[in-house]
Amino acid sequence: MKPISLTRYLIEEQHAGRINADLRLLIEVVARACKSISIAIGKGALGGVLGDAGTGNIQGEAQKKLDVLSNDILLEANAWGGHLAGLASEEMDHSQPIPDAARRGNYLLLFDPLDGSSNIDVNISVGTIFSVLRCPDGVTTPGDEHFLQPGTTQVCAGYTTYGPSTMLVLTVGHGTHVFTLDREVGTFMMTRRDVQVPADTKEFAVNMSNQRFWEPPMQRYVADLLKGKEGPRGKDFNMRWVASMVADVHRIITRGGIFSYPLDEKCREKGGKLRLMYEANPMAFIIEQAGGAASTGRQRMLEVQPTGLHQRVPVFLGSRNEVAEAVRYHEQFDREG
Ligand code: P6P
């Protein structure tokens, strides 16, 4: 059967009463922006977009030219998209309300415009991550505080991975679905409906170079993985680490696994490495809608009450039984030391 387009999927969701026209059109605007980002990335060295921008962001990270370009593409696409009350980005210190003249909607859009951008210059997959919240009733000019909603309040989450093919993975709360960009036509076509992440796995993703900085439960958890079938887990494990969250999560969406960026001594003061609002929460929503699980190691990710727009958290997400196992190590440590 011929795959259906993203537009048709969204119309069907609207006709089923699961989304409204504003959210449908917002998703279309974001998808169109991701197509533009894909084209810019695809030019590589020929597009004059590689390398550092010579600027930094609130995260204290040097910005790549494509970080800035991707952020600008998403800002321009949404400034007059007509469906937003405000937006927030990893690349911007504070959120930005949409001016009245731009016919605001009642949604809040958060995004990491180009996650994993340190991989750009070595031609490894990167991605865009986005999350959609409702603007609180009666708020006409939303500020940072209005974005601080737990992940369970998301109405939509998605990521686009810019790899050998450009793929958009999306949930509006009724399953997780995969769309592949048909470059000849310029349309995202559904290539997987209702993804189901296997409950168990033999593959883990973590940056092992941080091992000496991890908390004891994380050290014990990974040490037991590495013992393989002779150890308490009774099976051998494989490891992958792309250092691009979107690429690692997409592998898990595709074949299962567990992804972790735990607390370590280097990022403990900040609460973790990855950002809650526009990395961990959207990925958690996508993974849970695909039958997986997402946790801080001690709490369901989607139930974390945010305290800051750029707040960081420890992340464990993927195959639900493996995430539960990692959480068990942390709970046991908290009980018994
Ligand atoms: P490390 C990319 O910078 C990122 O935010 C995620 O995409 C990725 O999973 C992680 O950081 C990689 O971190 O410490 O391995 O470079």
Side-chain angles (χ1 to χ4, degrees):
M1 184 176 136
K2 186 173 183 308
I4 66 170
S5 67
L6 173 65
T7 297
R8 175 173 165 182
Y9 164 74
L10 293 172
I11 291 278
E12 289 175 348
E13 288 301 287
Q14 183 182 333
H15 288 175
R18 290 195 282 262
I19 61 173
N20 63 27
D22 251 358
L23 182 55
R24 171 169 64 83
L25 293 168
L26 170 57
I27 295 169
E28 292 268 24
V29 166
V30 173
R32 243 187 329 274
C34 290
K35 276 191 274 188
S36 301
I37 294 170
S38 175
I39 290 165
I41 289 172
K43 291 175 183 170
L46 300 175
V49 292
L50 299 186
D52 290 345
T55 52
N57 61 19
I58 189 172
Q59 326 286 344
E61 298 163 341
Q63 291 176 304
K64 296 289 186 183
K65 289 177 188 167
L66 272 170
D67 280 321
V68 176
L69 177 60
S70 303
N71 194 57
D72 290 347
I73 288 172
L74 280 158
L75 289 180
E76 284 163 25
N78 284 287
W80 289 86
H83 316 295
L84 285 183
L87 49 79
S89 166
E90 180 198 48
E91 302 300 336
M92 299 186 326
D93 295 4
H94 294 286
S95 61
Q96 195 175 314
I98 300 294
D100 280 339
R103 199 188 84 72
R104 301 172 27 256
N106 66 349
Y107 291 112
L108 301 176
L109 176 68
L110 302 97
F111 52 84
D112 179 355
L114 203 63
D115 180 68
S117 54
S118 59
N119 288 307
I120 279 279
D121 297 345
V122 294
N123 201 32
I124 288 175
S125 298
V126 291
T128 297
I129 310 171
F130 62 93
S131 170
V132 182
L133 300 170
R134 287 189 184 84
C135 186
D137 291 341
V139 173
T140 52
T141 307
D144 289 3
E145 68 277 14
H146 299 111
F147 287 76
L148 302 185
Q149 304 174 34
T152 47
T153 65
Q154 293 175 98
V155 294
C156 169
Y159 65 79
T160 302
T161 174
Y162 309 107
S165 62
T166 291
M167 302 176 89
L168 169 64
V169 178
L170 180 74
T171 185
V172 292
H174 299 279
T176 290
H177 314 289
V178 181
F179 300 84
T180 301
L181 181 61
D182 177 339
R183 293 182 187 285
E184 289 160 14
V185 180
T187 305
F188 279 106
M189 302 301 287
M190 183 184 276
T191 42
R192 275 188 78 186
R193 182 187 284 267
D194 208 8
V195 171
Q196 291 301 311
V197 173
D200 296 294
T201 185
K202 293 182 177 180
E203 195 160 67
F204 68 99
V206 70
N207 181 341
M208 284 298 290
S209 71
N210 294 325
Q211 186 177 26
R212 64 188 184 283
F213 300 117
W214 294 336
E215 294 181 275
M218 182 65 184
Q219 301 232 5
R220 293 172 192 166
Y221 168 62
V222 173
D224 284 347
L225 295 181
L226 295 175
K227 288 172 187 164
K229 54 177 171 292
E230 287 76 37
R233 301 300 310 275
K235 58 184 178 179
D236 290 338
F237 283 79
N238 188 25
M239 197 201 102
R240 287 284 182 274
W241 186 249
V242 184
S244 175
M245 185 185 197
V246 171
D248 280 313
V249 172
H250 190 68
R251 185 188 56 254
I252 290 167
I253 281 286
T254 305
R255 69 186 190 208
I258 182 169
F259 169 93
S260 176
Y261 211 106
L263 271 185
D264 63 44
E265 287 313 310
K266 297 186 291 182
C267 65
R268 169 181 294 282
E269 281 176 24
K270 294 179 181 173
K273 160 119 190 202
L274 301 179
R275 277 62 54 144
L276 173 65
M277 297 306 295
Y278 40 78
E279 289 175 336
N281 267 347
M283 290 305 200
F285 189 20
I286 290 163
I287 283 284
E288 283 201 3
Q289 285 291 315
S295 171
T296 63
R298 293 176 166 94
Q299 182 181 10
R300 182 188 176 209
M301 188 65 72
L302 293 181
E303 292 175 353
V304 173
Q305 176 53 52
T307 54
L309 197 56
H310 300 292
Q311 171 179 351
R312 297 168 187 255
V313 286
V315 178
F316 295 81
L317 61 80
S319 296
R320 63 178 178 273
N321 293 345
E322 194 57 40
V323 172
E325 190 65 17
V327 168
R328 191 180 62 75
Y329 278 75
H330 285 75
E331 290 173 342
Q332 183 175 7
F333 173 75
D334 291 348
R335 275 195 317 272
E336 304 162 12

